[in-house]
Amino acid sequence: MRHRTANRSGIVIRRRVTPAGDILVTLLTPQGKLKAIARGGVKGPLSSSLNLFHHVGVQVYQGPHNDLASIKQAVLEGALPKLAEPERYAFAHLIAEFADALFQEGEFSEQAFELFAGALRGISHQQDAEWVALVMSYKLLGLAGILPQTARCARCGNPDPIHPDPLGGQLLCGNCAALPPYPPESLDFLRGAVRRTVRANIESPVPADQRPALWRALERFVSVQIGNVQSWRQLVPYAEAGQI
């Protein structure tokens, strides 16, 4: 930040309370990711505004020798109460963790902010929250330029692979694979999810019984390319499919 005091508008994607009663938050804003602290925030008026997934306007101050900005004021600009529902919360938390891992401090990305905000709205409002989360996870990866290999086998390079890669979450040819091929609907999604628009993806959902395999592929790919994502263990599809 060039100035010591600045106003930002963003969505809380991470929140942690320290033993001292401070609130550490990470905001995703149109100007990039911002980490800040609300000192004594748990007992003050900032506590209710700085909740996970809240869209807030904040005034932050950063001294010349401080790496972490201090939040002086926070105003709630928008909230999605339905994200607190158990069947939606896990998906919203996963999307927030993706955004935190994919986009860095100071990285200008208005498109990332809009895509993330749209993902939260979809998870909140759409009946099929799981499908929205799956689509938007791949779209966020695509925006960050981290794309699974789908045109060629991830091991030998043969064209048109159709089998799951159990280690890397990509696609393998018949010669390299040990698992049966993906069903046509899943294969079409994996090959076209990033290229197609969000609306086109949402309007062509993969059958529910095929989604656990897509989640597993996404988990493997993200673990290899980005690192460990804690939110997998909260996901409803994993709990139901006995994959934890």
Side-chain angles (χ1 to χ4, degrees), residues 232-244:
W232 296 118
R233 291 191 172 273
Q234 302 180 46
L235 286 181
V236 175
Y238 272 73
E240 292 180 347
Q243 298 297 332
I244 294 180

Side-chain angles (χ1 to χ4, degrees), residues 13 26 101 104 110 141 151 155 157 162-163 172 179 183-184 186 198 217 227 235:
I13 60 174
T26 302
Q104 304 306 312
E110 186 171 353
L141 287 173
R155 292 184 186 172
I162 61 174
H163 297 261
L172 300 178
L179 298 175
S186 294
V198 170
L235 286 181

